[in-house]
Amino acid sequence: MGRRARPTWGLALAVACCPASLVGGLTVEGAGSTARSGSSGDPRRPVGPLECHLLERSMKVKVIKCKPASFAKKWEGCTCRIPLPSSVHQMPDTFYDPYALEIPISFSMTTFSPLTTQPPASSPAAPYSPPTTPAACPFSRRCAGSTPCVGFDSWGFQEVRMSRYTPASGFFNEITCNYINDGTASFTEPTFAT
């Protein structure tokens, strides 16, 4: 006797009505598109709770939380809160001046050479302090066509944006990354990301 195929409509209903935390480790390919495309025949796989849960699981850190988000112009995506290690810090943009004047530079003008700086003072008795590393979102590179590379476009997103520095994010030492899809591309799970 052959094995009977299990019906998938119950699985699609569970994915459509339940949040990703209740669905658990569900990794059925195409379940999100089956649950949300409905009778419209849209072959595109939109970004929902299951897709954000798959993105969250691929980051290999247990405390990351990703949830679906809606942006302007009916764009969609995932917003992920990522705690950083103690040697990685998001730095504020201290050079931003909203009232800066745009002065055209004349390249015919002669300038002086820059002043030399002194090397920073160091003490051999001081405790070791590792250098700070700038914060970056996971999958923040564009990797179209590169096989060993997994970037935001490997997931079907058009861009990734890290939120600006705030005192709260500096206190908790975490960043918020927005993975944005403009609604024309389909969500895809890279086979080498899990």
Side-chain angles (χ1 to χ4, degrees):
M1 284 209 83
R3 293 181 61 182
R4 292 179 59 194
R6 292 172 33 185
T8 58
W9 63 270
L11 178 65
L13 182 62
V15 172
C17 71
C18 300
S21 61
L22 297 178
V23 176
L26 187 63
T27 58
V28 176
E29 184 65 31
S33 61
T34 306
R36 283 183 293 282
S37 63
S39 62
S40 66
D42 184 15
R44 189 180 71 81
R45 184 175 176 186
V47 179
L50 177 64
E51 288 76 18
C52 290
H53 181 67
L54 292 173
L55 179 66
E56 175 185 320
R57 272 198 9 215
S58 69
M59 293 184 194
K60 306 290 186 197
V61 178
K62 298 295 181 193
V63 292
I64 293 177
K65 295 295 178 196
C66 294
K67 61 181 180 178
S70 297
F71 301 102
K73 298 182 183 178
K74 297 186 179 178
W75 288 16
E76 58 189 11
C78 296
T79 299
C80 301
R81 290 180 54 201
I82 304 166
L84 300 173
S86 58
S87 63
V88 178
H89 300 287
Q90 184 182 17
M91 303 302 289
D93 186 8
T94 57
F95 295 110
Y96 176 71
D97 183 9
Y99 305 107
L101 298 174
E102 294 291 329
I103 300 174
I105 298 173
S106 173
F107 293 103
S108 62
M109 185 183 341
T110 59
T111 60
F112 296 107
S113 60
L115 298 173
T116 59
T117 59
Q118 297 293 325
S122 63
S123 171
Y128 174 73
S129 178
T132 58
T133 307
C137 292
F139 309 121
S140 61
R141 295 182 302 186
R142 184 177 297 275
C143 296
S146 302
T147 48
C149 177
V150 179
F152 62 88
D153 55 347
S154 305
W155 293 91
F157 296 111
Q158 273 71 37
E159 62 180 296
V160 59
R161 292 199 179 180
M162 183 171 58
S163 63
R164 292 184 178 174
Y165 175 84
T166 61
S169 64
F171 177 78
F172 291 114
N173 199 25
E174 67 181 17
I175 58 173
T176 303
C177 297
N178 295 316
Y179 296 89
I180 303 170
N181 185 350
D182 65 357
T184 59
S186 178
F187 179 87
T188 56
E189 183 182 1
T191 56
F192 43 87
T194 55

